[in-house]
Amino acid sequence: MKINHVLKALSHPIRRAIIAYLRNGSMTAGALAEKFDVSKPTMSTHFAALKEAGLITAERDGVTIHYRLNATVAEEAIGMLMGLFGTQHMPSVQEQPPAPEETENEI
Amino acid sequence: MKINHVLKALSHPIRRAIIAYLRNGSMTAGALAEKFDVSKPTMSTHFAALKEAGLITAERDGVTIHYRLNATVAEEAIGMLMGLFGTQHMPSVQEQPPAPEETENEI
DNA sequence: TATCTAATTAGATAATCAGCTAATTAGAGT
DNA sequence: ACTCTAATTAGCTGATTATCTAATTAGATA
């Protein structure tokens, strides 16, 4: 898993939304494509970026292709980011954390 | 915190290395800059990207500027990614996880 | 084999990004 | 007021990214 590929893959809203869809189970390329307002070839390149990062896997069934989330890579990525930040405890993922107050000495 | 800014900020190796340095305490722009083999103006734009994402804060002390990691935003970002992936349990961050075996039906 | 469907690849273009040098700002100290 | 230092902004160039339409591939089926 190359963290650079993973983070680049994640830094596009459509690709994050694809992942969000795939949390609920695998979907075909076409079914995913029609959820977004871009062309199918554009969606194909988004799939390719996620696949390159290892975040999704593809499985052909006849003429259609099913994409599925790769939870292993997702967890590895989170582990690496936690290592990067030195995160000590779990942030809440269910509720929205309170907005941080403005700091004084920002430039 | 805009997750898009955070992920774009993280998707460059120099910017991740800056964060790694700042884990050990704040550093001046100049001290950080001389750790990397790019020009100071280029480093400045990397600082700006991290600042824009909220991952670091800047504090001026006379003529020098001290950058510091913003742990709050780092944890929020990890929380959002865990929400995105639907991560259930903690991956190990200390030891290297085993390489995932190749899947059969990749295309 | 001809054709239909699902999806990708090819090729082009506009926008964004990363890097550089040169110029500018901001503060401190003569 | 000058000058020195630390850092950023301005302006440019080359590389990468996101998007599109058109063309191609791959499998299924009449």
Side-chain angles (χ1 to χ4, degrees), chain B residues 7-107:
Chain B
L7 289 168
K8 284 195 171 169
L10 291 177
S11 50
H12 191 291
I14 286 186
R15 292 194 289 261
R16 289 195 299 277
I18 290 170
I19 286 178
Y21 274 113
L22 294 181
R23 275 195 58 189
N24 304 320
S26 75
M27 285 176 76
T28 67
L32 276 168
E34 71 189 17
K35 299 284 187 182
F36 300 91
D37 196 26
V38 295
S39 70
K40 282 179 73 163
T42 295
M43 289 300 291
S44 247
T45 68
H46 285 312
F47 299 148
L50 289 166
K51 197 143 62 84
E52 161 82 11
L55 285 165
I56 64 176
T57 58
E59 192 171 347
R60 180 180 280 275
D61 171 21
V63 83
T64 69
I65 290 182
H66 297 260
Y67 285 109
R68 162 184 331 276
L69 191 58
N70 184 347
T72 304
V73 168
E75 290 188 6
E76 281 175 29
I78 287 181
M80 292 196 69
L81 285 184
M82 291 180 60
L84 175 63
F85 290 134
T87 306
Q88 298 301 327
H89 69 87
M90 292 299 289
S92 163
V93 300
Q94 304 301 344
E95 55 192 298
Q96 203 72 349
E101 63 269 21
E102 296 297 315
T103 38
E104 301 294 304
N105 295 359
E106 276 188 4
I107 294 168

Side-chain angles (χ1 to χ4, degrees), chain A residues 12-90:
Chain A
H12 192 291
I14 286 185
R15 292 194 289 261
R16 290 195 299 277
I18 289 169
I19 286 177
Y21 274 114
L22 294 182
R23 275 196 59 191
N24 304 319
S26 75
M27 284 176 76
T28 67
L32 275 168
E34 70 188 18
K35 300 283 187 184
F36 300 91
D37 196 25
V38 294
S39 72
K40 283 178 74 164
T42 295
M43 289 300 292
S44 249
T45 69
H46 285 312
F47 299 147
L50 290 166
K51 197 143 62 84
E52 161 83 10
L55 285 166
I56 64 176
T57 58
E59 192 171 347
R60 180 180 281 275
D61 173 21
V63 84
T64 68
I65 291 181
H66 296 260
Y67 284 110
R68 166 183 329 276
L69 190 58
N70 183 347
T72 304
V73 169
E75 290 187 8
E76 280 176 28
I78 287 180
M80 292 198 69
L81 285 183
M82 291 181 59
L84 174 63
F85 290 134
T87 305
Q88 297 302 328
H89 69 87
M90 292 298 291

